[in-house]
Amino acid sequence: MIKMWILNLLGVTHGGLTCQQVGEILQQYLDDQIDADRAGRIEIHLEECRRCGLEAETYERIKATLAAQRPEIATESVVRLRAFGEQLARGEAPTTP
């Protein structure tokens, strides 16, 4: 983990993307809202970067659990949750409605 942190600090990338860049668009990738070229670079990053790969796996498990427990989630809730996640990924403080 320390090695990945140092490499990321130095700007070393996997698939041409840093961990921060992947974090900013990970939810969009997992929701299949990324173009094929970018998705390919994210896939390479996730395969090569253990930390980001584990984060993606965790998100996938959460999504699967939520889908199994409550098949229909209001679109408005998904939009708000996605916006919240994107704010956190950018390092911004969450805003209240």
Side-chain angles (χ1 to χ4, degrees), residues 19 22 26 30 42-43 45-61:
C19 294
V22 170
L26 185 58
L30 295 173
I42 293 170
E43 288 171 12
H45 184 98
L46 295 177
E47 289 173 8
E48 294 178 356
C49 178
R50 178 171 168 76
R51 186 178 135 244
C52 290
L54 289 173
E55 185 174 344
E57 288 177 23
T58 300
Y59 284 143
E60 287 287 8
R61 278 189 246 134

Side-chain angles (χ1 to χ4, degrees), residues 3-13 18:
K3 178 183 172 189
M4 291 309 304
W5 180 81
I6 292 170
L7 291 175
N8 205 28
L9 184 66
L10 296 172
V12 176
T13 64
T18 65

Side-chain angles (χ1 to χ4, degrees), residues 30-84:
L30 295 173
D31 291 339
D32 295 321
Q33 296 179 341
I34 298 288
D35 62 82
D37 178 59
R38 218 172 190 188
R41 290 186 290 148
I42 293 170
E43 288 171 12
I44 291 169
H45 184 98
L46 295 177
E47 289 173 8
E48 294 178 356
C49 178
R50 178 171 168 76
R51 186 178 135 244
C52 290
L54 289 173
E55 185 174 344
E57 288 177 23
T58 300
Y59 284 143
E60 287 287 8
R61 278 189 246 134
I62 291 169
K63 284 175 56 176
T65 300
L66 290 173
Q69 293 180 2
R70 185 171 182 158
E72 292 191 35
I73 300 173
T75 302
E76 178 185 328
S77 297
V78 173
V79 169
R80 286 194 340 249
L81 183 58
R82 185 172 292 126
F84 176 74

